Amino acid sequence: MTFLLVHYHEIALKARNRPLFVNRLVHNLKRATADLPVGRIRKLTGRVLLELGDERSAGLVTDRIRQVFGVANCSVAHRSALSLDALQETAERVLTRRSFQTFRVTARRAYKAFPLTSQQLNEALGTFVLRRFPTRVDLKNPELTLFIEILPTEAFLYLEKVPGPGGLPVGVAGRVLALISGGIDSPVAAYRMMRRGCLVSFLHFHGAPFLDRRTQEKVREIVRLLTRFQYTSRLTLVPFGEVQQEVVVNAPAPYRVLLYRRLMARIAEHLAGLEGAKALVTGESLGQVASQTLENLTVIEEAVRLLVLRPLIGMDKEEISAQAREIGTYEISIQPDQDCCTLFVPRHPATRATLEEIGRAELTLDIDRLVKMSVERAEHEECAFPEAS
Ligand code: ATP
Ligand code: MG
């Protein structure tokens, strides 16, 4: 039988959090491979082991697992009994039909009572390989490495470690609500929170009835893509055009953007309460646009009591775009659209508004009614990955 051996960064874990982390990782590995021929998934010392129902699916399963947060690396592995004979026999099976000029053996013992030390294992298996294959040892730069892991009741042998994304398993940190716009930044912000163990719900404000549905379609596509990393997502769509219109009619033009943002934050806080989300997440980065100065971020933040997380705050556009490309959201984000933020935007937005000025501008608005109306108009959509599951 073929196995997939999954490693996580154990050292980074506080002892008390470890069972929570590992159980969640196992749960997420199950969900990530729900539509693939994977049998039992077991927790071993410091590792997780997946049984593959069908060896030919190893590539497909690996591609899924390498995207699961919390995974440090994974390997297609072969099991062996705990004797030198059995290890040699398995090594021969693993190496047959491989051609390699140079190699090394890297043994590790999670089970320290095994009679041979790691070094003795390296030497014993190394000698065996030299006898059976036309090759030589190169410790520094080998063409092939035979990894051996000794566990309490079994051993595993493998040749390759595929790196995972690291981070924490989605779900261990709780739920957050990400404000998602269809731009480049907010999908990256959501991704980074998922990688820290958050289950992310999404909230999008759209320009209906004044703008077409293109942005909504983009946001759906982005959420579908990001759902690969957390298996289920909820997207909430809130029409914002009429709210913006009221702001335009009643408040001074330079404050419009900040007033929109404060209203968005309040509506988001309300919806977060309904969903059990413990924080809001935005794609803001310091100084990128007028609304993202320290002064204006302070003004936006003052509208709500909920924690507002801005994982991109210290990143520049180049770095954010590079990560968006890696995740795969960049190509969707750069499609032309009509974001509601482009609706009724003043020529000269205030870059350093004070709370006093904003407070005065808000006196002209019925904030509670606007928030209540928006919450009532919210529509929810669910998204799952794999789609069949
Ligand atoms: P992005 O690329 O994420 O749109 P941006 O650099 O264009 O960011 P802004 O348009 O000022 O910046 O938006 C700042 C943040 O406010 C966004 O990252 C997002 O979190 C939130 N936001 C903006 N517009 C919307 C919207 N229509 N719906 C939900 N959230 C939004
Ligand atoms: Mg934007």
Side-chain angles (χ1 to χ4, degrees), residues 179-181 183-186 203 205 261 282-283 288 292 340-341:
L179 280 79
I180 187 123
S181 68
I184 294 169
D185 305 331
S186 41
L203 171 59
F205 294 94
R261 288 280 188 262
T282 76
Q288 201 184 76
Q292 299 175 19
C340 71
C341 295

Side-chain angles (χ1 to χ4, degrees), residues 329-344:
T329 51
Y330 185 82
E331 290 302 321
I332 310 172
S333 293
I334 59 171
Q335 300 298 319
D337 67 347
Q338 302 178 297
D339 187 70
C340 71
C341 295
T342 60
L343 201 60
F344 318 125

Side-chain angles (χ1 to χ4, degrees), residues 239-300:
F240 200 59
E242 279 178 44
V243 175
Q244 286 177 284
Q245 200 182 29
E246 286 211 25
V247 172
V248 168
V249 171
N250 293 297
Y255 300 134
R256 276 179 203 165
V257 176
L258 280 175
L259 294 171
Y260 299 160
R261 288 280 188 262
R262 279 168 64 93
L263 279 159
M264 282 184 180
R266 289 186 181 100
I267 297 161
E269 180 177 48
H270 201 98
L271 291 166
L274 297 177
E275 295 224 3
K278 295 179 214 167
L280 302 179
V281 177
T282 76
E284 286 154 327
S285 116
L286 191 60
Q288 201 184 76
V289 289
S291 60
Q292 299 175 19
T293 61
L294 287 180
E295 289 81 357
N296 286 350
L297 290 175
T298 305
V299 166
I300 297 169

Side-chain angles (χ1 to χ4, degrees), residues 176-332:
V176 295
L177 181 61
L179 280 79
I180 187 123
S181 68
I184 294 169
D185 305 331
S186 41
V188 177
Y191 174 89
R192 291 181 83 101
M193 295 318 299
M194 289 176 186
R195 191 166 174 273
R196 294 313 300 162
C198 291
L199 187 57
V200 176
S201 294
F202 298 91
L203 171 59
H204 175 65
F205 294 94
H206 58 82
F210 302 105
L211 299 177
D212 64 29
R213 306 178 71 84
R214 242 180 303 168
T215 309
Q216 291 178 57
E217 275 312 316
K218 275 175 71 176
V219 167
R220 279 195 190 97
E221 214 179 314
I222 287 168
V223 168
R224 213 173 300 139
L225 195 147
L226 290 174
T227 303
R228 290 186 140 264
F229 304 103
Q230 62 173 13
Y231 323 113
T232 60
S233 299
R234 168 176 258 216
L235 167 63
T236 301
L237 297 157
V238 172
F240 200 59
E242 279 178 44
V243 175
Q244 286 177 284
Q245 200 182 29
E246 286 211 25
V247 172
V248 168
V249 171
N250 293 297
Y255 300 134
R256 276 179 203 165
V257 176
L258 280 175
L259 294 171
Y260 299 160
R261 288 280 188 262
R262 279 168 64 93
L263 279 159
M264 282 184 180
R266 289 186 181 100
I267 297 161
E269 180 177 48
H270 201 98
L271 291 166
L274 297 177
E275 295 224 3
K278 295 179 214 167
L280 302 179
V281 177
T282 76
E284 286 154 327
S285 116
L286 191 60
Q288 201 184 76
V289 289
S291 60
Q292 299 175 19
T293 61
L294 287 180
E295 289 81 357
N296 286 350
L297 290 175
T298 305
V299 166
I300 297 169
E301 184 134 355
E302 196 268 343
V304 294
R305 300 188 57 181
L306 197 60
L307 178 63
V308 181
L309 299 171
R310 300 181 172 91
L312 312 185
I313 198 71
M315 291 173 77
D316 60 41
K317 199 77 186 182
E318 287 303 309
E319 294 170 297
I320 299 169
S321 300
Q323 182 146 39
R325 283 197 190 89
E326 276 170 38
I327 303 167
T329 51
Y330 185 82
E331 290 302 321
I332 310 172

Side-chain angles (χ1 to χ4, degrees), residues 143-203:
E143 205 181 305
L144 178 148
T145 300
L146 175 64
F147 293 96
I148 301 177
E149 294 193 14
I150 306 289
L151 303 183
T153 59
E154 60 206 324
F156 290 93
L157 286 78
Y158 55 90
L159 301 177
E160 253 173 300
K161 287 187 191 191
V162 178
L168 301 172
V170 162
V172 291
R175 188 181 289 275
V176 295
L177 181 61
L179 280 79
I180 187 123
S181 68
I184 294 169
D185 305 331
S186 41
V188 177
Y191 174 89
R192 291 181 83 101
M193 295 318 299
M194 289 176 186
R195 191 166 174 273
R196 294 313 300 162
C198 291
L199 187 57
V200 176
S201 294
F202 298 91
L203 171 59

Side-chain angles (χ1 to χ4, degrees), residues 84 87 104-126 146 148-150:
L84 193 54
L87 288 170
R104 68 166 289 161
V105 180
T106 299
R108 261 176 68 190
R109 298 181 313 160
Y111 171 59
K112 303 289 185 199
F114 189 75
L116 299 181
T117 65
S118 298
Q119 188 48 33
Q120 286 168 333
L121 272 167
N122 290 343
E123 285 164 16
L125 268 298
L146 175 64
I148 301 177
E149 294 193 14
I150 306 289

